[in-house]
Amino acid sequence: MGAPTPDAHKPDMPAKQVTLTYYDGHSRTVYDTDVERAYPDGKLIVSRTDLNGVITHVNDAFVEISGYDIDELIGQQHYILRHPDMPKAAYTDLWQTAASGQKWHGYVKNLCKDGSHYWVYATVVPNIRRGETVGYTSVRRKPSRSKIDAAMTQYAQMKQNEEG
Ligand SMILES: Cc1cc2nc3c(=O)[nH]c(=O)nc-3n(C[C@H](O)[C@H](O)[C@H](O)COP(=O)(O)O)c2cc1C
């Protein structure tokens, strides 16, 4: 496991304050300013994790859009980017698929350090060495606006079902 993920800093602009509780039981306060960051044209946003979802590698595009320094990302749980609008079921599906050795695709809304967000189309694959899964890689592409709109509707519905 990595070091506990620290609370986010309160942004200077108006923001919704939310306490997220993660799969491992850790709770953290985050802020959502509802400001969208544009996906960088022509770039892939890449990260790798160990078997527990701890970040082991990120590319420059990942660091830049996240707003974090690289040192704040390596060794942290990938949930440091979890946005409060994302339903838990999306990640359950990601983990079940990847842990069973398959490729997972999906639309993800990620939270930046300053409370803004960005949308990606992610492909998660297991990294296999000598027949054994040693970690996971996610390669993210720019999603179309129409797919983002569809994902927003679907995720809002899924979240409502989760919260009852
Ligand atoms: C390779 C890989 C990449 C991931 N990328 C993201 C990501 O970009 N954003 C995110 O919120 N979760 C990502 N996750 C899922 C997180 O590990 C985590 O499941 C998710 O943030 C929800 O947190 P929770 O499962 O603790 O509730 C990724 C997982 C793996 C294995």
Side-chain angles (χ1 to χ4, degrees), residues 1 27 29 34 38 43 58 60 76 80 100 103 131 133 143 149 156 164:
M1 301 299 288
S27 281
T29 300
D34 205 25
K43 290 195 183 168
V58 287
D60 290 348
Q76 284 296 334
I80 190 170
S100 71
K103 204 184 258 194
T133 301
D149 290 344

Side-chain angles (χ1 to χ4, degrees), residues 35-106:
V35 171
E36 181 169 1
R37 287 196 187 200
Y39 189 103
D41 274 324
K43 290 195 183 168
L44 296 175
I45 297 176
V46 182
S47 60
R48 282 204 296 267
T49 71
D50 67 9
L51 290 173
N52 296 314
V54 173
I55 300 172
T56 55
H57 165 89
V58 287
N59 73 347
D60 290 348
F62 186 110
V63 176
E64 195 167 322
I65 199 163
S66 75
Y68 288 98
D69 291 337
I70 190 164
D71 301 347
E72 295 176 292
L73 293 166
I74 303 293
Q76 284 296 334
Q77 278 285 335
H78 217 310
Y79 62 48
I80 190 170
L81 296 187
R82 181 174 138 201
H83 194 284
D85 288 351
M86 286 295 293
K88 285 191 192 346
Y91 297 114
T92 311
D93 187 44
L94 180 161
W95 276 105
Q96 279 176 354
T97 306
S100 71
Q102 293 167 280
K103 204 184 258 194
W104 181 87
H105 300 277

